[in-house]
Amino acid sequence: MITTPTGEEFRLEPFRTELTGHCYRMLGSGFDAEDAVQETLLRAWRSFDRYDERRASLRTWLYSIATNVCLDMLRSAQRRALAMDLGPAAEAGSGIGRPAPESAWVQPVPDALVLPPDGDPEDLAVLRETIRLAFVAALQHLPPRQRAVLILRDVLRWKAEEVATLLETTVASVTSALQRARATLRAVGTGPGEPFRPSDPAQRELLARYCAAFERHDVTALVSLLHEDATMSMPPFVWWLRGRDQIRRVLLAPDASCEGARLVPVEANGSPAFWQTRPGPDGAHVPFGLVVLDVSGGLVVGSTTYLDADRLLPLFSESVASPLVAANAPG
């Protein structure tokens, strides 16, 4: 939190979570989103004496700063993507391929960083949908200003006049940008998948069966829960697979290394997500990767396993402490 002698932080800090969600959709990285919000709050604090509430609400003013910070950060940045955007599917047994740099990937984000803890259930359902990996990856296909327009209009439900004021442009320009952005998203597609619904018994049962099969290393049971065209990827490697048969072959390979692993629930990207943990030298389980699932129609349609667990753990520190204690419990 920014410390000031006049207490402006008490007016600015309540906006941190929603601003982080906005910046995450713009930038595709939880780390970059945190940096953008910190810069936003710093700029707001430094210019707070010039803020005029007659011209804009505090929320609108902060979103204007945050959007401009993101646009500045995106000027020289490459488009972040998922493995499926970086090349064709591999064949099982062909090797895992080469890693890509961190800047190439849409990175995961903990729900606690971007979703309000006491939000309206209907609003939270929309927000979860719009931080799914596939949706955020689709957003990265948009030019930055179109991206900002679509997020402000379709995700945050701002009026065209408000967006025009924020971006210092015309309503006609906002309307045109929104139409082009929507057309691009339709062409790109946002990928199949449902947000995590903890109150949905069917989704809970699917995830329970998936975790049980994974932890038993029961490949037959696990594959039976996959869609015929399910995908599997493991950033930072550009390698990915499509199809139940391809995934089965990889899981049955003699050097498959998932035996003894566990799946510990974690809240990430508004989706079903788990830390995959493995026993360390002392027998205690430690995180090996962050698994984010896409589920649809009662089946798993995609799994993305981020292998850089050590780098992600600090970002998820508040949300992993309790589950990892359970993961390390005996039995």
Side-chain angles (χ1 to χ4, degrees), residues 45-62:
W45 169 56
R46 287 174 172 169
S47 59
F48 204 84
D49 60 341
R50 298 192 297 275
Y51 164 60
D52 185 352
E53 62 184 12
R54 294 170 298 181
R55 297 184 59 187
S57 69
L58 181 57
R59 182 173 184 259
T60 298
W61 183 60
L62 289 172

Side-chain angles (χ1 to χ4, degrees), residues 90-98 234 237-241 250 255:
E91 290 287 324
S94 62
I96 201 168
R98 60 181 175 84
M234 295 193 301
F237 295 96
V238 297
W239 171 97
W240 66 282
L241 297 176
V250 164
D255 57 350

Side-chain angles (χ1 to χ4, degrees), residues 171-186:
V171 170
S173 177
V174 166
T175 300
S176 176
L178 180 61
Q179 290 172 343
R180 295 197 303 274
R182 286 173 173 170
T184 299
L185 278 197
R186 285 194 296 270

